[in-house]
Amino acid sequence: MTLAKIIYASMTGNTEEIADIVAETMEDMGIEVEIDECTQVDASDFEDADICVVATYTYDDGHLPDEIMDFYDDLLELDLSGKIFGVCGSGDTFYDFFCKAVDDFEEAFIKTGAVKGAENVKVDLAAEEEDIQNLEAFAKSLVEKI
């Protein structure tokens, strides 16, 4: 069975909700999904997955959240050739670097040799109806790449 691993960092609960939407969509498509908060797992756990997803918020003016820094650094050390990846997350358009952490993780995944399976989804604060539709399409695109 195809395994998707979704790792998230969430301060307010917005990004956890984003991760849950992606997970539910994949499960509805018959994919086995493991979803974990970033401090509870190691980046090397992605080596067991077919689909690798990071959902992160962007802290302040374009920074990775402190709690996902070690995970990010460890991800850069992996060889994920043949894996499909996707990145989504939340931010605040008040800041100049809206959802920059999403872009940072995309770059990290590319360095691992993983293949981008869907366009990044960036959500302003909490997911609205249009964001939910974009996240569902994101999840479907990742599954279709398998």
Side-chain angles (χ1 to χ4, degrees):
M1 179 176 239
T2 301
L3 174 62
K5 286 196 180 271
I6 302 173
I7 308 303
Y8 69 90
S10 188
M11 181 188 299
T12 62
N14 290 341
T15 311
E16 183 177 5
E17 179 186 0
I18 288 166
D20 287 342
I21 292 165
V22 173
E24 185 176 314
T25 303
M26 289 181 169
E27 287 170 345
D28 288 347
M29 296 178 75
I31 302 298
E32 179 184 352
V33 178
E34 293 178 5
I35 183 169
D36 292 289
E37 199 272 332
C38 63
T39 61
Q40 305 301 310
V41 291
D42 295 316
S44 61
D45 291 348
F46 276 149
E47 293 172 337
D48 299 329
D50 302 295
I51 301 171
C52 308
V53 178
V54 167
T56 184
Y57 66 96
T58 299
Y59 183 72
D60 200 28
D61 204 17
H63 301 289
L64 289 171
D66 286 343
E67 66 269 24
I68 206 166
M69 287 294 297
D70 289 341
F71 187 91
Y72 175 85
D73 291 340
D74 293 344
L75 178 64
L76 290 169
E77 304 296 319
L78 298 178
D79 178 358
L80 297 177
S81 300
K83 308 288 185 189
I84 302 297
F85 82 87
V87 187
C88 54
S90 63
D92 188 337
T93 54
F94 171 82
Y95 293 104
D96 291 336
F97 299 101
F98 173 66
C99 283
K100 184 177 180 300
V102 170
D103 298 331
D104 292 344
F105 266 99
E106 176 185 13
E107 291 173 17
F109 270 120
I110 289 169
K111 289 178 182 174
T112 70
V115 176
K116 185 175 180 178
E119 290 303 312
N120 299 341
V121 177
K122 299 176 178 180
V123 175
D124 185 21
L125 303 174
E128 306 280 337
E129 185 59 39
E130 183 180 345
D131 299 312
I132 292 168
Q133 291 170 3
N134 290 339
L135 289 163
E136 290 171 345
F138 167 85
K140 289 174 184 173
S141 180
L142 290 171
V143 172
E144 289 167 0
K145 294 290 189 291
I146 292 295

